[in-house]
């Protein structure tokens, strides 16, 4: 699939803000499942050119406001071609070891409910079967509902509410997978959802779990299936806070208003991509 | 029997302490007290103080100084030096490994959990190789002695070990006040430590640095208990002492604000903990840090000394594996032994510890500075019971060691010389090569019979002589 993405994030400050510095993880990396045809990130119309690879293998850049500033507009846009890898992302040598992703975080602390959920999913057919069962359980038990949770809601709280957004569903999956001794991580990206109009998308999130011999396998509990070729990965981490695509600081002061606009559309397949997808 | 640094088996004065004995005899106890008063007046004048946490009273009080030096023979030092260098090399090799492929974990030598689940392990460092492959540039190794030939490592300090200013000041005072002692005895100098430190720091300049590297010392500020040391070392190295607000990151490089405009900084000897160094990489609520400095580090624009995440190597849960690290990375046998250690997280060890609390020293795995520890033989039944409850609640958070009979060194008491327990912290420098100044900081537990030498717990300091 060829996917066109435009993701705009805007910060408006009530009064001009001082000392604004932002860390950006807004550039997809080439991997076995996705290749970048064209990509650019601009902040207030200035292109970001210097990117490094962080400890999770994701691209990372830094932007510093030239002085006091009233608003920051970050635009990430480009075209990505994807192929269906049955949700498997191959790791590369420089990234954090899979066992790191057993580490608990405040958002993914395991309580009794999460441990029970993990046990319900445990399958005699091995970890892959357990993970599929877990994904189905989360999809069935935790309804997608916006407005009931916030970015600070923990996996345990969301499970008790039996509702939340993709962040909560991913957190629940991650915490329960870790309770089964399976490394799991949080992934931020975009989803081309054919059932939605092009301009009604949000940044998406799902989970990946590590299976020896296979690699990182994606599980999208919001959809109740593994990512195929509609998902584009941009960053990952131990939880949503750790994987945040944008993190910023400023000197104490003005109130900030945050707004998003995400547009995702399918592009016609060109000849080269068609050849690739037929291989 | 307690080993006395000064006395041989038959109670005779060891050769290396003959000069000290002669000096004490000549000067007399009253004379020594008078000179001690003069020394304290100098310390106060130059302003060397050490804030003591949690003890109340004057936070800027003087750390007690003892006039009588602690002495190592050339042969003793040769062995210590080899052991210290070996350990510094192995600890850095371990850090390089755990932030890359983790071979020591794959080999089943160190358990994955105590590394990857450890807060001191920073995933942000994964896959990054710091300049010179060095993570811990100043390794402070706490060593105790229990016999003529028995030296043991109590703990490693791979982050930003403090106290080296006392090593330098103590020697400075001694040579200034008692020059005749240094004529009688050939004592190896330590005053080149600052130049060796600067050299080691310059050797790890980042890829982006083309000319002569600019080094700075980064301090959290004057409220920090070791601020004196930060400013002292910057001064001796002839480099700027900066606070976080003096630095900023631009285009992947770090600059300091100066009266003549921004100036590039290449190497930062930072005395701020990992969590507080960069709110964009670590604790977001840190008001202390420099936003983006970690990004600049990973981008090769600046070198942070020590590397964030270096603390995983000195964690008490990792400590027990250091002798195996030495074998694994260097193919050598550890020259300096570890203190036998029980990990309360292991069922067998736990049972042993709980049965023998009255004889053991128990420490928190993540604690430091002598706080929150139990010294069994010096605790009441109630204290032991209270502590036991804490262990029961969270066994994996505790380790236990036998109560070591630390060696004693002659110390000036009110009415004459007394024997007081001591330990020793050398400061090993790691740049392109490993460097060790012959000496270190001897800490002395000033209360009779006390085994706690931490300056935060009422310990004092001594000059340390390595004879040539």
């Amino acid at each position: 699939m060829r996917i066109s993405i435009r993701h705009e994030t805007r910060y408006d400050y009530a009064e001009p803000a001082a000392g604004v510095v932002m860390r950006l993880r807004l550039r997809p990396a080439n991997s076995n499942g996705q290749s970048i045809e064209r990509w650019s990130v601009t902040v207030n119309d200035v292109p970001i050119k210097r990117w490094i690879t962080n400890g999770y293998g994701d691209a990372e850049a830094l932007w510093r406001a030239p002085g006091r500033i009233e608003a920051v507009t970050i635009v990430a846009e480009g075209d990505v071609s994807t192929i269906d890898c049955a949700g498997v992302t191959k790791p590369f040598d420089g990234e954090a070891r899979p066992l790191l992703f057993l580490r608990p975080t405040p958002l993914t602390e395991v309580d009794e409910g999460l441990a029970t959920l993990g046990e319900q999913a445990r399958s005699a057919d091995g970890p892959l079967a357990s993970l599929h069962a877990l994904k189905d359980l989360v999809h069935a038990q935790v309804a997608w509902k916006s407005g009931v949770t916030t970015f600070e809601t923990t996996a345990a709280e969301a499970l008790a509410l039996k509702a939340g957004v993709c962040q909560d569903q991913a957190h629940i999956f991650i915490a329960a997978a870790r309770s089964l001794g399976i490394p799991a991580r949080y992934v931020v990206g975009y989803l081309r959802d054919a059932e939605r109009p092009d301009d009604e998308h949000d940044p998406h999130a799902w989970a990946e779990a590590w299976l020896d011999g296979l690699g990182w396998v994606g599980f999208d509990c919001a959809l109740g299936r593994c990512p195929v070729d509609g998902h584009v990965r941009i960053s990952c981490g131990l939880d949503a806070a750790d994987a945040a695509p944008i993190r910023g600081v400023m000197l104490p002061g003005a109130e900030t208003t945050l707004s998003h606009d995400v547009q995702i559309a399918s592009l016609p397949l060109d000849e080269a991509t068609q050849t690739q997808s037929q291989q | 029997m307690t080993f006395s640094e000064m006395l041989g088996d038959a109670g005779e004065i060891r050769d290396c302490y003959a000069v000290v004995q002669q000096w004490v005899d000549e000067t007399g106890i009253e004379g020594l007290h008078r000179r001690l008063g003069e020394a304290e007046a100098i310390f106060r004048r130059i302003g060397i103080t050490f804030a003591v946490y949690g003890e109340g009273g004057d936070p800027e009080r003087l750390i007690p100084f003892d006039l009588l030096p602690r002495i190592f023979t050339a042969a003793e030092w040769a062995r210590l030096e080899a052991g210290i260098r070996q350990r510094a090399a192995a600890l850095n090799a371990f850090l390089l490994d755990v932030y890359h492929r983790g071979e020591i974990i794959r080999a089943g030598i160190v358990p994955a959990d105590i590394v990857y689940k450890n807060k001191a392990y920073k995933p942000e460092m994964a896959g990054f190789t710091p300049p010179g492959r060095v993570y811990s540039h100043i390794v402070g190794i706490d060593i105790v002695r229990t016999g003529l030939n028995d030296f043991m490592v109590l703990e490693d300090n791979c982050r930003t070990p403090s106290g080296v200013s006392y090593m330098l000041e103590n020697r400075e005072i001694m040579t200034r006040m008692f020059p005749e002692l240094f004529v009688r005895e050939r004592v190896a100098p330590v005053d080149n430590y600052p130049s060796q430190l600067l050299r080691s720091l310059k050797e790890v300049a980042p890829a982006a640095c083309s000319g002569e590297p600019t080094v700075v010392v980064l301090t959290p500020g004057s409220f920090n208990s070791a601020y004196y040391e930060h400013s002292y070392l910057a001064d001796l190295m002839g480099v700027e002492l900066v606070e976080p607000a003096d630095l900023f990151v631009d285009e992947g490089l770090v600059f300091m604000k100066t009266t003549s405009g921004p100036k590039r900084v290449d190497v930062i000897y930072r005395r701020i903990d990992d969590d507080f160094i960069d709110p964009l990489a670590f604790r977001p609520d840190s008001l202390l840090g420099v936003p983006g400095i970690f990004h600049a580090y990973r981008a090769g624009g600046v070198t942070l000394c020590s590397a964030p995440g270096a603390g995983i190597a000195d964690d008490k849960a990792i400590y027990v594996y250091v002798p195996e690290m030495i074998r694994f990375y260097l193919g050598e046998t550890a020259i300096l032994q570890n203190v036998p250690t029980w990990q309360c997280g292991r069922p067998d060890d736990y049972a042993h510890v709980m049965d023998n609390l009255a004889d053991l020293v128990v420490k928190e795995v993540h604690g430091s500075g002598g706080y929150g520890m139990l010294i069994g033989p010096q605790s009441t039944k109630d204290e032991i019971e209270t502590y036991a409850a804490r262990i029961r609640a969270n066994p994996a958070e505790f380790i236990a060691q036998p109560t070591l009979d630390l060696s004693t060194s002659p110390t000036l008491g009110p009415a004459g010389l007394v024997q007081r327990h001591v330990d020793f912290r050398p400061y090993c420098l790691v740049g392109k090569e490993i460097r060790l100044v012959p000496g270190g900081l001897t800490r002395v537990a000033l209360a009779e019979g006390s085994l706690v030498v931490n300056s935060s717990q009422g310990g004092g300091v001594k000059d340390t002589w390595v004879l040539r």
Side-chain angles (χ1 to χ4, degrees):
Chain A
M1 189 186 279
R2 293 181 68 224
I3 302 171
S4 149
I5 297 161
R6 186 178 188 282
H7 176 193
E8 181 177 315
T9 310
R10 191 176 158 89
Y11 295 84
D12 284 292
Y13 305 107
E15 310 152 30
V20 176
V21 186
M22 291 188 176
R23 186 191 75 181
L24 310 174
R25 293 174 181 166
L26 284 169
R27 200 175 77 160
N30 287 316
S31 69
N32 56 319
Q34 64 189 31
S35 72
I36 314 313
E37 294 179 12
R38 176 183 75 83
W39 197 265
S40 73
V41 177
T42 59
V43 182
N44 290 352
D45 298 327
V46 180
I48 298 289
K49 288 185 181 140
R50 305 171 55 95
W51 294 86
I52 62 165
T53 302
N54 74 8
Y56 298 136
D58 299 320
E60 196 173 292
L62 200 71
W63 179 80
R64 174 172 168 267
R68 281 187 179 269
I69 200 154
E70 285 173 15
V72 177
T73 303
I74 303 165
V75 178
E77 69 177 319
D79 304 332
V80 179
S81 65
T82 59
I83 51 170
D84 181 356
C85 294
V88 176
T89 302
K90 296 287 176 205
F92 81 100
D93 207 39
E95 73 186 43
R97 307 312 312 165
L99 289 175
L100 170 76
F101 297 93
L102 288 170
R103 180 190 284 206
T105 67
L107 289 173
T108 56
E109 204 77 60
V110 175
D111 72 344
E112 223 184 299
L114 286 161
T116 308
L117 183 70
E119 284 311 316
Q120 282 173 345
R122 193 190 285 277
S123 163
D125 297 332
L128 184 59
S130 304
L131 292 167
H132 277 290
L134 179 59
K135 168 206 67 191
D136 294 338
L137 281 171
V138 177
H139 183 66
Q141 292 185 11
V142 185
W144 193 96
K145 198 172 173 190
S146 71
V148 292
T149 55
T150 72
F151 68 97
E152 288 176 312
T153 304
T154 66
E157 290 164 353
L159 180 61
L161 287 168
K162 296 198 178 300
V165 294
C166 55
Q167 164 171 329
D168 305 296
Q169 293 165 320
H171 278 161
I172 292 167
F173 179 92
I174 290 165
R178 288 181 190 156
S179 78
L180 292 174
I182 303 170
R185 66 186 185 183
Y186 187 94
V187 182
V188 178
Y190 305 104
L191 169 67
R192 166 65 190 146
D193 184 348
E195 288 163 26
R196 287 186 185 214
D198 293 350
D199 57 355
E200 278 184 24
H201 286 80
D202 286 312
H204 192 50
W206 60 97
E208 284 178 347
W210 176 261
L211 289 166
D212 282 328
L214 210 50
W216 287 105
V217 184
F219 292 91
D220 189 331
C221 297
L223 300 179
R225 58 175 173 79
C226 290
V228 279
D229 56 358
H231 289 67
V232 174
R233 300 173 86 262
I234 54 167
S235 69
C236 67
L238 290 163
D239 59 20
D242 195 36
I246 302 174
R247 188 159 152 178
V249 291
M250 58 188 256
L251 292 178
E255 221 171 273
T256 310
T257 315
L258 171 64
S259 51
H260 278 294
D261 175 49
V262 181
Q263 299 191 18
I264 300 175
S266 300
L267 293 172
L269 293 176
D270 61 30
E271 269 177 34
T273 332
Q274 275 174 354
T275 318
Q276 189 185 24
S277 60
Q278 281 158 7
Q279 282 175 346
Chain B
M1 204 184 80
T2 306
F3 175 74
S4 159
E5 301 269 345
M6 191 176 189
L7 304 174
D9 287 342
E12 78 284 7
I13 305 287
R14 292 175 64 215
D15 286 349
C16 55
Y17 275 87
V19 168
V20 168
Q21 185 62 47
Q22 194 188 354
W23 176 50
V24 170
D25 291 344
E26 286 166 9
T27 318
I29 298 303
E30 243 175 72
L32 288 173
H33 274 290
R34 197 170 56 244
R35 305 308 303 271
L36 178 61
E38 292 167 25
E40 283 172 351
I42 298 175
F43 277 128
R44 217 167 261 124
R45 197 157 61 235
I46 55 182
I48 182 163
T49 59
F50 194 102
V52 180
Y53 296 112
E55 286 188 353
D58 180 7
E60 299 258 295
R61 78 167 200 195
L62 201 61
I63 189 166
F65 174 65
D66 183 67
L67 276 187
L68 302 180
R70 192 265 184 93
I71 301 172
F72 290 117
T73 65
E76 285 167 352
W77 180 253
R79 189 171 142 226
L80 280 174
E81 174 167 12
I84 293 160
R85 287 171 174 267
Q86 179 190 53
R87 209 160 166 112
L91 291 166
N92 272 293
F94 172 74
L95 287 163
L96 182 68
D97 185 21
V98 295
Y99 287 114
H100 291 82
R101 288 179 51 79
E103 298 293 356
I104 201 164
I105 296 164
R106 292 167 188 236
I109 296 169
V110 174
D113 272 8
I114 65 168
V115 176
Y116 296 129
K117 284 190 182 171
N118 199 313
K119 285 201 172 70
Y121 180 88
K122 299 295 179 202
E124 292 81 0
M125 285 293 292
F128 175 68
T129 307
R133 301 156 78 89
V134 184
Y135 290 77
S136 177
H137 306 78
I138 300 109
V139 187
I141 298 178
D142 291 349
I143 296 172
V144 296
R145 186 178 199 178
T146 55
L148 186 60
N149 294 307
D150 304 315
F151 292 95
M152 280 187 276
V153 175
L154 202 56
E155 66 177 54
D156 306 291
N157 297 274
C158 295
R159 306 166 207 210
T160 52
S162 62
V164 76
S165 53
Y166 291 110
M167 170 184 86
L168 297 167
E169 292 278 25
N170 294 349
R171 177 62 55 82
E172 168 80 23
I173 289 278
M174 290 298 284
T175 49
R176 206 194 297 186
M177 291 184 62
F178 311 107
E180 71 279 9
L181 290 177
F182 295 88
V183 175
R184 288 189 210 168
E185 193 58 273
R186 285 161 49 87
V187 179
V190 294
D191 59 358
N192 61 343
Y193 179 84
S195 62
Q196 300 272 46
L197 172 60
L198 183 60
R199 191 169 166 195
S200 302
L201 293 171
K202 283 183 176 175
E203 283 175 355
V204 294
C209 171
S210 48
E212 179 70 7
T214 299
V215 175
V216 298
V217 176
L218 176 62
T219 176
S222 57
F223 52 82
N224 184 273
S225 70
Y227 181 74
Y228 172 82
E229 178 160 296
H230 307 160
S231 73
Y232 182 73
L233 288 174
D235 196 36
L236 289 177
M237 287 193 285
V239 305
E240 294 294 331
L241 175 70
V242 298
E243 295 187 18
D246 301 326
L247 299 180
F248 68 92
V249 178
D250 197 28
E251 295 292 318
L253 300 170
V254 177
F255 296 86
M256 64 176 150
K257 300 167 189 165
T258 74
T259 47
S260 53
K263 185 173 190 310
R264 263 277 290 286
V265 170
D266 301 297
V267 182
I268 301 177
Y269 176 26
R270 50 101 181 196
R271 298 289 296 254
I272 298 180
D273 291 346
D274 289 354
D275 283 349
F276 299 100
I277 198 165
D278 181 354
L280 285 180
F282 303 107
R283 269 178 67 158
D285 57 340
S286 167
L287 299 173
L288 268 184
V290 182
I293 202 169
F294 183 74
H295 180 92
Y297 176 56
R298 257 200 100 117
V302 75
T303 302
L304 298 175
C305 303
S306 59
I312 185 64
D314 67 26
D315 190 82
K316 291 191 181 74
I318 297 294
Y319 159 85
V320 293
Y321 298 99
V322 177
E324 288 170 81
M325 263 179 219
I326 292 170
R327 207 168 303 129
F328 188 77
Y329 298 116
L330 310 178
E332 298 170 7
T333 305
I335 296 166
L336 295 172
Q337 297 308 303
N338 265 17
V339 177
T341 303
W342 293 279
Q343 295 166 279
C344 299
R346 293 181 177 172
D348 290 358
D349 287 16
Y350 173 77
H352 175 86
V353 171
M354 296 311 267
D355 288 346
N356 296 281
L357 277 179
D359 301 320
L360 299 173
V361 175
V362 190
K363 299 174 181 174
E364 293 173 10
V365 172
H366 306 297
S368 71
Y371 293 108
M373 61 193 256
L374 174 82
I375 300 178
Q378 295 178 7
S379 302
T380 64
K381 264 196 158 159
D382 279 357
E383 285 167 345
I384 291 176
E385 202 29 64
T386 310
Y387 206 92
R390 292 182 57 205
I391 303 174
R392 255 179 243 122
N394 215 342
E397 292 296 305
F398 295 89
I399 58 163
Q401 295 172 333
T403 317
L404 295 175
D405 201 1
L406 305 192
S407 62
T408 59
S409 180
T411 300
L412 185 61
L417 296 195
V418 292
Q419 299 294 323
R420 292 290 180 265
H421 296 291
V422 291
D423 80 348
F424 177 58
R425 175 183 287 184
Y427 300 86
C428 190
L429 298 170
V430 187
K432 277 191 177 141
E433 52 186 87
I434 299 180
R435 302 185 171 91
L436 184 64
V437 166
L441 176 65
T442 292
R443 298 185 296 179
V444 53
L446 291 170
E448 186 174 1
S450 168
L451 294 165
V452 185
V453 295
N454 301 75
S455 51
S456 54
Q457 304 275 290
V461 296
K462 284 168 167 290
D463 190 15
T464 308
W465 291 3
V466 172
L467 302 185
R468 292 206 279 201

